[in-house]
Amino acid sequence: MRKLFLLLLLVIAVFISRPLWEDKVSPYADLSFMDTISDRVLSVIETPNISNALETFTDTITAIIVDIDDAVQQAPRIQSDEPAPSVEKPDLSIPTEQVFSIYNIKLGDSRDQVEQELGEPARQSQNEFGSSWYAYHENFGNFVMVSYNEDGLVNGLFTNQDLITSSIGVTLESSKENVRKELGDPLTTIRKGLIRYQLQNDGEYDVYQVDDAYATIFYDKHEDYTVTAVQIIHESLESERTEIYTEPSDSLKQGFEYQLFDLTNAARVEHGQSVLTWDEQVRETARKHSLDMAENSYFDHTNLNGQSPFDRMKEDGVSYRVAGENLAYGQFSSIYAHEGLMNSLGHRENILKPEFGYLGVGVAFNDDSQPYFTENFFNK
């Protein structure tokens, strides 16, 4: 009885002293939650010779990769029908009036100039700035996304391929150390309305203000933190996004879906893999799972009914011999979601897996306008 009394006294003392040891509320909104990536990647191969290749997965990427590799080694190798595209790299010049250019395109160039260089866009889709990304590529080689203002002048650029030149010598595969040597310390906060948001600081990207623009330099932590992508957004375009998350709409949902598909294929081409084919049927499977997670506030490959991605695909009539799923949520664009997935080893392997031939992407938003991304990969 005496021990119980002393224990109660200790609990009361800790509770009373709580203000002394709890951290003070930060004056900033912390954005580290935006970079949530599911810590489990699922992949399965089903063939007549393997009746049950789906293993019980643990929460560690290493164990999951071992399971996947074992299944791949036991099953016949399935390749996409399309070979990896080969596209001639353009002659690139170093910009003199701005720090960065992408495929010789700079902020302020006209749409006519861009399309004389790149041809007609392959896709137009809404982005988080209330503008559109125009995607230019040759079967996902020489991949560039461009945004234009109302006067038809470039106000946004992105690429995740070797099309970056700069007046300071930063290119694709430059080291993070070299970027910071040339550009200094990156921004730690960004202001939206009356709120100043604390940028995440896990080292996977840096944000700088250069040339009246925000330049986001993404790094590949699996390749010694070298530059893997660059996004350049003019200050006037960034100011259009008054909240850190954009108000959801059907066109934004579709935009995020197609952008994540395009980014995935551009990454595959950059890494010598074949192009995936968009699949509308599995997109609906992915959409339903994203919506279920958003509406019911959970984040998992297994839904609340106990169904795995493969259960959901089969229920929707999707036939496959190999399949996988990537999940992400909280990022405010498909670009950030994709780059985060590429920096997570199991997800990266799904994105670059040669056995996959088809992809459908489904996006949904929760009540706080945060997007949930589901990628369903498979091959027939």
Side-chain angles (χ1 to χ4, degrees), residues 2 91 108 144 146 154 228 232 237 258 337:
R2 175 182 173 81
D91 293 328
V144 182
V146 184
V154 174
T228 189
I232 306 167
L237 180 59
Y258 284 134

Side-chain angles (χ1 to χ4, degrees), residues 247-265:
E247 187 71 22
S249 66
D250 286 342
S251 57
L252 182 62
K253 174 176 68 175
Q254 186 177 84
F256 278 179
E257 291 169 347
Y258 284 134
Q259 287 154 27
L260 191 50
F261 173 79
D262 289 351
L263 291 163
T264 299
N265 270 332

Side-chain angles (χ1 to χ4, degrees), residues 296-356:
N296 293 290
S297 301
Y298 75 96
F299 185 63
D300 204 301
H301 292 287
T302 302
N303 67 18
L304 300 181
N305 295 323
Q307 291 179 308
S308 73
F310 317 112
D311 295 327
R312 296 190 294 271
M313 289 183 194
K314 290 177 180 177
E315 184 177 71
D316 290 342
V318 178
S319 299
Y320 61 85
R321 288 192 289 170
V322 56
E325 179 175 88
N326 284 350
L327 302 179
Y329 99 97
Q331 298 82 5
F332 45 71
S333 78
S334 292
I335 289 174
Y336 283 84
H338 172 73
E339 295 302 326
L341 289 166
M342 284 292 287
N343 272 325
S344 175
L345 186 58
H347 301 86
R348 180 192 187 95
E349 290 197 353
N350 267 355
I351 290 169
L352 301 179
K353 188 180 287 294
E355 288 81 12
F356 290 144

Side-chain angles (χ1 to χ4, degrees), residues 64-196:
I64 293 163
I65 292 170
V66 171
D67 286 340
I68 292 172
D69 287 345
D70 287 346
V72 170
Q73 289 168 8
Q74 295 173 31
R77 189 167 182 82
I78 305 167
Q79 293 283 2
S80 172
D81 293 335
E82 293 293 329
S86 177
V87 179
E88 184 178 351
K89 182 180 173 180
D91 293 328
L92 301 176
S93 59
I94 297 174
T96 56
E97 299 177 358
Q98 295 181 23
V99 173
F100 289 102
S101 68
I102 293 175
Y103 205 130
N104 298 326
I105 301 163
K106 304 176 297 299
L107 295 181
D109 286 351
S110 70
R111 182 168 177 174
D112 286 343
Q113 289 175 285
V114 172
E115 296 190 351
Q116 284 177 9
E117 184 82 22
L118 304 183
E120 293 295 318
R123 192 191 310 279
Q124 175 188 355
S125 57
Q126 185 174 328
N127 60 32
E128 69 275 18
F129 303 105
S131 175
S132 292
W133 281 124
Y134 292 80
Y136 299 87
H137 58 83
E138 303 167 56
N139 199 21
F140 295 100
N142 291 335
F143 179 83
V144 182
M145 295 200 301
V146 184
S147 171
Y148 302 100
N149 66 17
E150 58 186 11
D151 297 320
L153 302 179
V154 174
N155 61 2
L157 286 165
F158 173 85
T159 190
N160 58 352
Q161 294 186 351
D162 190 11
L163 301 169
I164 304 159
T165 52
S166 70
S167 60
I168 56 174
V170 172
T171 63
L172 198 78
E173 299 183 355
S174 290
S175 68
K176 178 166 67 174
E177 180 183 11
N178 185 63
V179 172
R180 291 184 173 181
K181 178 181 177 181
E182 297 297 334
L183 289 175
D185 294 331
L187 297 179
T188 58
T189 64
I190 187 169
R191 184 169 180 172
K192 291 291 176 185
L194 299 176
I195 301 175
R196 186 173 290 277

Side-chain angles (χ1 to χ4, degrees), residues 277-295:
T277 299
W278 177 264
D279 187 86
E280 191 66 28
Q281 187 176 16
V282 84
R283 175 217 217 163
E284 292 306 314
T285 304
R287 271 188 171 181
K288 286 189 290 185
H289 187 55
S290 287
L291 183 60
D292 189 40
M293 290 190 293
E295 289 183 339

